[in-house]
Amino acid sequence: MATEAPDTPLDFIRQTVRDDLAAGRHREIVTRFPPEPNGYLHIGHAKSICLNFGVAAEYDGRCFLRFDDTNPVREDERYTASICEDVEWLGFEWGDRLTHASDYFDRLYEQAVALIRGGLAYVDHLPAEQIREYRGTLTEPGRNSPWRDRSVDENLDLFERMLSGEFAEGECVLRARIDMAAPNINLRDPTLYRIRHAAHHRTGERWCIYPMYDFAHTLSDAFEGITHSLCTLEFEDHRPLYEWFLDSLDLPHRPRQIEFSRLNLAYTVTSKRRLAELVNRGIVDGWDDPRMPTIAGMRRRGYPPVAIREFARRVGITKKENTIEMGVLEHAVRDSLNAVAHRRLVVVRPLRVVLTNYDAGTEEFVSLPNHPGDPEQGSREVRFGRELWIDADDFMEDPPRKFHRLKPGGEVRLRGAYIIRCDEVVHDADGVVVELRCSYDPDTRSGGSGSDRKVKGTIHWVHAPSAIPVELRLYDRLLRTASPVGGDAWLEDLNPDSLQVIAEARAEPAVLDFQPGEGMQFERVGYFTRERENGADGRAVFNRTVTLRDSWAKIEAAELG
RNA sequence: UGGGGUGUAGCCAAGUGGUAAGGCAACGGGUUUUGAUCCCGUGUACCGCAGGUUCGAAUCCUGCCACCCCAGCCA
């Protein structure tokens, strides 16, 4: 497992872990990542995965991957495979520590019985609506349920009958007997077990009562010997209940819960509920749509796992609400890709160029390095001839100042080949530029004797007869606002241009050298990766991972006012 | 108006009583056959506000303000 950039100050959780170890409070650090199998993992989970698995790895401990599957009606086996795949792809290993809360259903039941025996839990026959009313409000205390003082024997009997299926869903629940006047609402006799006559994806029909999160999660932590149970801020209020279970039961270990703030990313959504909505409404392709901030989406988009790990490291761990700018993620992605991605030439919007002084009967090969900064990565031979495509953006008939690309009468270097001059602009009947007639300077071939001649610009190109048609999918932010509003209104802030399909791009054939997931840079355009499925008429499809930094865009905006 | 949290530059984030790290962004400049990369440089951060303690406070105390979370038989 890679451990990146060591010289970061320790966050407050790692400081605690380090101190606990130094004080001899634990022999070994044990953490856990506890996803509910009801959706795909996203960038926020990635932060938690990097924290939990990262801390375990850094302190020679262990981390469990535990599915929190206590609610059969919400969860589905089909999500577990993707979750495993995502964690693994991110670069982490759980070894033999793949568990499920449902693995502990028997032990959980025993502990519930223990609570009843201790007079600390009771079966409540109040309907759900009444329970809510009896709970009180944020500012007023709750009231005791009329069933709160049943005898231990009666509760034992009733709980067993709940288990045996004697009651209908909603007829009764098992509740902890704590304090209905507690200022912390989580302590007002929280529900421990509810009845669900539903098959569980792992335990089948064996159970019809299922434990609630607080009970199952705390005890699972204790069973597994978790030393540091790291969760997000919204569970801070639950910590007293977590402690109550640990105090009330005879358990093999005493884990400690520590909360940190969840990750928010600007211009996207990072809640499972909202991501599911995008999928269900058909706004995106699926959970792994490259626009989605899901791990699967980022993988398909071409983000390397190391970039995500580095991103998680850079944003840090604190208890402060935060919204991270996309630039941080994008920078991490570019940074990791820049070093390793091979370069290729691809023209996005093809404009025909004819080199009028180049012999129509011949062609040649020019050598282009796979990586300009690293000769070790080799080079490739690229076909060159009289007819080429260049990007329409690289020509302007009436350009602003500082435009270093091609213009009438102007010169530009073709990357890795020759300097050309634009002699004539051909228009169609509507006045649209359809072809450039240029002449090349034979002395200026890259690597040749006259190649040191300087021109202001260098542009990319492809050899027209041998170029292959490819489809490009250009992705942009999902939202047009940085922080989506609450409720359903955020759907109105969706960016209508989050996907732009370029059906008729032209590429040098060597773009086919790479597998989906491997990153390459289309020079001057951006980083791309191959899409698994081909597009129309079988042509290769490439997803844009991220653009290159574009300082021209700013200059252009300034020049054009 | 109950309880639990959080406030350090545009966004993150170190700092744990001795005089405010770092990253991203932004803005200059250099190198460059990618307007990329790379390299240099640029920020007076009223440390939420107001008092107090101290020789000395982002760090300690008091009071206030702002924002976030909690009333599932969800996790």
Side-chain angles (χ1 to χ4, degrees):
Chain A
M1 184 177 318
T3 45
E4 292 89 36
D7 55 343
T8 312
L10 258 32
D11 57 68
F12 78 100
I13 289 178
R14 276 176 249 251
Q15 287 177 30
T16 300
V17 167
R18 179 247 277 141
D19 294 346
D20 285 350
L21 239 21
R25 277 186 279 270
H26 306 291
R27 220 178 63 249
E28 182 190 29
I29 296 303
V30 187
T31 57
R32 104 271 89 116
F33 172 64
E36 183 185 15
N38 70 341
Y40 278 57
L41 264 23
H42 55 66
I43 185 77
H45 295 111
K47 172 179 176 179
S48 177
I49 292 166
C50 290
L51 206 219
N52 280 292
F53 282 92
V55 164
E58 288 156 34
Y59 294 91
D60 293 316
R62 295 176 295 146
C63 181
F64 283 78
L65 172 59
R66 181 173 73 223
F67 287 101
D68 219 333
D69 56 350
T70 56
N71 187 347
V73 302
R74 267 166 55 111
E75 296 145 8
D76 199 306
E77 186 85 71
R78 73 194 161 101
Y79 293 111
T80 61
S82 76
I83 289 171
C84 289
E85 184 185 0
D86 290 348
V87 173
E88 200 159 36
W89 177 79
L90 261 187
F92 299 101
E93 296 169 0
W94 54 83
D96 59 357
R97 294 171 299 282
L98 176 67
T99 58
H100 300 76
S102 58
D103 297 340
Y104 309 124
F105 279 177
D106 285 298
R107 296 173 74 183
L108 257 12
Y109 182 82
E110 286 167 21
Q111 295 296 336
V113 168
L115 283 178
I116 294 172
R117 284 194 205 286
L120 294 175
Y122 62 98
V123 172
D124 193 352
H125 272 81
L126 238 33
E129 191 183 313
Q130 296 265 313
I131 285 185
R132 194 182 335 118
E133 283 167 23
Y134 274 66
R135 187 155 32 228
T137 69
L138 294 178
T139 52
E140 303 160 53
R143 290 138 51 207
N144 287 169
S145 163
W147 311 104
R148 196 173 194 263
D149 292 315
R150 297 216 253 221
S151 71
V152 168
D153 285 343
E154 188 182 1
N155 282 133
L156 249 18
D157 175 59
L158 254 13
F159 189 46
E160 202 177 313
R161 286 158 64 190
M162 277 173 68
L163 172 69
S164 65
E166 193 171 314
F167 300 113
E169 285 186 16
E171 208 174 327
C172 55
V173 293
L174 182 72
R175 289 230 258 170
R177 196 165 183 278
I178 308 180
D179 178 6
M180 288 306 291
N184 181 340
I185 289 182
N186 294 301
L187 262 18
R188 318 240 262 231
D189 291 10
T191 302
L192 265 25
Y193 269 89
R194 76 291 215 187
I195 297 168
R196 286 287 175 277
H197 290 286
H200 184 279
H201 68 93
R202 296 195 81 245
T203 60
E205 306 284 349
R206 169 122 191 263
W207 300 86
C208 65
I209 56 172
Y210 292 93
M212 296 288 289
Y213 164 81
D214 290 293
F215 186 66
H217 193 261
T218 307
L219 298 204
S220 298
D221 282 349
F223 294 156
E224 292 175 350
I226 303 301
T227 54
H228 301 265
S229 182
L230 313 177
C231 62
T232 43
L233 253 28
E234 64 270 28
F235 293 103
E236 215 148 16
D237 290 343
H238 295 238
R239 184 160 18 100
L241 178 54
Y242 191 92
E243 301 285 340
W244 186 87
F245 288 128
L246 298 176
D247 289 338
S248 306
L249 263 3
D250 183 25
L251 296 164
H253 299 278
R254 188 173 180 103
R256 171 177 174 192
Q257 174 178 305
I258 305 176
E259 311 83 15
F260 62 95
S261 52
R262 60 188 308 153
L263 170 75
N264 296 293
L265 242 198
Y267 294 101
T268 188
V269 289
T270 46
S271 84
K272 225 187 263 180
R273 201 204 112 234
R274 286 179 171 180
L275 293 171
E277 208 162 334
L278 292 172
V279 174
N280 296 335
R281 287 174 185 254
I283 292 164
V284 295
D285 229 24
W287 285 97
D288 67 344
D289 185 292
R291 288 169 290 182
M292 295 280 271
T294 52
I295 295 178
M298 294 189 288
R299 175 168 58 234
R300 192 169 153 204
R301 172 106 170 225
Y303 288 14
V306 65
I308 297 172
R309 277 183 257 133
E310 176 61 14
F311 169 73
R313 190 188 68 77
R314 289 184 194 185
V315 302
I317 298 291
T318 66
K319 299 189 69 158
K320 200 181 106 177
E321 292 290 329
N322 61 80
T323 301
I324 310 296
E325 292 177 344
M326 271 294 186
V328 182
L329 216 205
E330 292 183 343
H331 185 270
V333 170
R334 288 190 189 107
D335 212 33
S336 57
L337 249 17
N338 176 50
V340 298
H342 281 200
R343 272 57 172 173
R344 292 294 182 265
L345 298 183
V346 177
V347 166
V348 181
R349 294 171 52 214
L351 171 60
R352 178 171 294 272
V353 166
V354 177
L355 301 181
T356 53
N357 60 338
Y358 195 98
D359 184 355
T362 64
E363 54 184 35
E364 66 185 299
F365 285 92
V366 295
S367 179
L368 277 103
N370 286 324
H371 191 109
D374 181 13
E376 298 277 297
Q377 298 192 34
S379 61
R380 63 193 190 282
E381 300 299 302
V382 179
R383 205 177 289 266
F384 184 88
R386 177 183 165 92
E387 295 196 7
L388 310 170
W389 297 113
I390 67 165
D391 239 311
D393 287 349
D394 287 334
F395 173 79
M396 281 184 94
E397 263 195 296
D398 186 21
R401 286 168 50 234
K402 297 182 184 172
F403 184 79
H404 295 166
R405 285 114 96 154
L406 202 55
K407 57 188 175 188
E411 283 187 322
V412 76
R413 172 170 288 281
L414 296 179
R415 178 74 162 156
Y418 300 90
I419 291 174
I420 63 169
R421 187 181 57 239
C422 176
D423 303 315
E424 187 188 343
V425 182
V426 182
H427 302 84
D428 66 9
D430 298 322
V432 177
V433 177
V434 293
E435 181 180 310
L436 267 21
R437 300 189 71 80
C438 305
S439 48
Y440 82 112
D441 180 347
D443 292 335
T444 57
R445 191 187 206 265
S446 289
S449 57
S451 67
D452 55 345
R453 211 185 110 197
K454 300 294 177 195
V455 287
K456 277 183 296 185
T458 298
I459 64 173
H460 56 284
W461 53 274
V462 293
H463 176 61
S466 63
I468 60 171
V470 297
E471 178 178 319
L472 265 27
R473 294 186 188 158
L474 312 182
Y475 301 103
D476 200 356
R477 52 185 55 157
L478 225 27
L479 301 179
R480 10 181 215 203
T481 51
S483 301
V485 293
D488 276 344
W490 68 279
L491 288 162
E492 285 160 34
D493 286 330
L494 285 169
N495 174 12
D497 303 315
S498 59
L499 167 63
Q500 188 188 354
V501 176
I502 306 288
E504 295 292 341
R506 292 290 182 275
E508 60 166 303
V511 294
L512 267 19
D513 292 350
F514 300 94
Q515 297 300 312
E518 292 184 291
M520 68 193 111
Q521 186 196 98
F522 293 171
E523 292 206 42
R524 303 208 313 128
V525 179
Y527 292 98
F528 286 76
T529 195
R530 177 99 182 253
E531 170 66 49
R532 285 183 193 78
E533 309 282 316
N534 287 338
D537 59 331
R539 71 183 54 183
V541 176
F542 294 87
N543 292 321
R544 185 173 69 193
T545 306
V546 63
T547 60
L548 258 27
R549 274 187 65 209
D550 183 8
S551 56
W552 164 248
K554 291 168 200 162
I555 299 168
E556 183 181 37
E559 289 299 316
L560 297 177

